[in-house]
Amino acid sequence: MTISAQGMVETLTAHGYQLATGVPCSYFAGPLRLLEQGAGPPYVAAANEGGAVAIAAGAQLGGHRPVVLAQNSGFGNMINPLTSLVLPYGIAMTVMVSMRGWPTASAGEPQHRWMGQVVPGWLDSMGIAHWMLTADGPALEELLLRAQPVLDAGLPAFVLVAKGAIADDAPAGKPAAPPAELPTRDDVVSAVLQEAGDAHLLSTTGYLSRSLFNLGDSDRNFYMQGSMGHVASVALGAALANPRRRFVVLDGDGAVLMHAGSLATIGDLAPANLTHVVFDNGVYDSTGGQRTGGQQTDFAGMALACGYRRAWRVDSTDELRSALRTALTNDGPCAIVVRCASGAPTGERASNSVSVQELSDRFRKSLATAPVAEAGDGSAS
């Protein structure tokens, strides 16, 4: 039987969990809303899934009982702290992982195919106990009781959560009033398209890629589905391989936080042909609007500290377009951080119309056939 969002939070509380941490998934949207509103244990938004495991480890060492909530697409980020920290040090924790792509991935989300199948086998290979929570299987209460002897032995225990096992029935809290007249996601993407010219555009996973596809699909665009936090690194590799082309990255604040070390790599290598636009709305829109945990982060300052040549923080499309014109006619790397409104509607994902293999093939071909910029025209040298 599907457990309600309130029922899940009450079950965790009844079992003595004192801290929850993780990276959002829409499967947990209801419980996460309640946790962020103060119901149940305090919730800590981690930058990535490995960080969530480490936060939980610290909480357990400090005497608190932790639970991690995460999506299976980020399970790979957990492997290092699980194998080099949690298991050898004997740190008990409960980890609830949503099983996207299980039992099969949808045609439009091929990025979930592998993690939808391999997580149970990988857990078995590490000797980590796990159980599946489904709408018609054993209740969460029963699975947590089964996990207790494992936790008592100083080991982690995983509950794998199928789609529909947890209801998204928690009432939305009263949203904070956004600052007036902040641009929407589509406003930002439209402004980038107006200024980008023949630059190659790479967009992060989630709604930014949907907006770019629906507003200005092109063979020069590369849409990330999955691999959250890595689009800037993909753009870096492409920029280094093609120093005579221009590249613009459309990134999200949560994605930048997830693998912020890429800023240092970009700054160190200083590709002159790379412009990094960060959509900063403070939430993970595509999983339900949960806070990113980066509300105090100065992304423009981070970029400058990492070696970017220029960085702007803007809150209007006019300012964004002005900054883009400067960035695209001077040597980079440059960063433009745009304060944005959250929650704007979006269209369908690119892979509903074009296969991800075709997306990568056409992007590759566009680089092979793009005209080479002439020196002195504002292109990177």
Side-chain angles (χ1 to χ4, degrees), residues 318-355:
D318 287 343
E319 291 176 330
L320 170 59
R321 292 183 65 181
S322 176
L324 277 167
R325 287 192 289 271
T326 301
L328 291 170
T329 53
N330 289 276
D331 283 351
C334 298
I336 307 171
V337 181
V338 193
R339 293 181 65 234
C340 305
S342 62
T346 191
E348 68 174 21
R349 62 176 64 88
S351 60
N352 285 353
S353 302
V354 187
S355 74

Side-chain angles (χ1 to χ4, degrees), residues 113-128:
R113 171 188 168 192
W114 287 272
M115 282 301 185
Q117 304 303 313
V118 303
V119 170
W122 285 6
L123 290 170
D124 287 338
S125 73
M126 292 182 283
I128 296 177

Side-chain angles (χ1 to χ4, degrees), residues 280-307:
D280 183 10
N281 64 358
V283 300
Y284 296 104
D285 259 338
S286 64
T287 59
Q290 300 89 0
R291 285 165 48 94
T292 62
Q295 279 69 23
Q296 307 305 315
T297 302
D298 178 0
F299 291 100
M302 285 175 61
L304 290 173
C306 287

Side-chain angles (χ1 to χ4, degrees), residues 177-270:
E181 299 180 356
L182 285 180
T184 66
R185 183 187 312 105
D186 283 357
D187 291 337
V188 171
V189 172
S190 295
V192 171
L193 287 168
Q194 289 165 6
E195 300 295 339
D198 62 358
H200 288 74
L201 308 182
L202 297 92
S203 53
T204 190
T205 186
Y207 286 171
L208 273 173
S209 279
R210 294 193 187 198
S211 288
L212 180 59
F213 172 72
N214 286 283
L215 292 172
D217 182 37
S218 166
D219 289 358
R220 296 191 305 274
N221 297 350
F222 186 82
Y223 312 106
M224 293 283 277
Q225 292 192 189
S227 300
M228 183 175 163
H230 288 303
V231 70
S233 294
V234 174
L236 171 63
L240 294 175
N242 298 270
R244 303 285 292 175
R245 322 289 191 213
R246 280 283 180 180
F247 295 86
V248 177
V249 181
L250 280 169
D251 216 341
D253 52 337
V256 172
L257 289 170
M258 181 164 281
H259 294 294
S262 61
L263 299 181
T265 306
I266 292 169
D268 185 51
L269 293 171

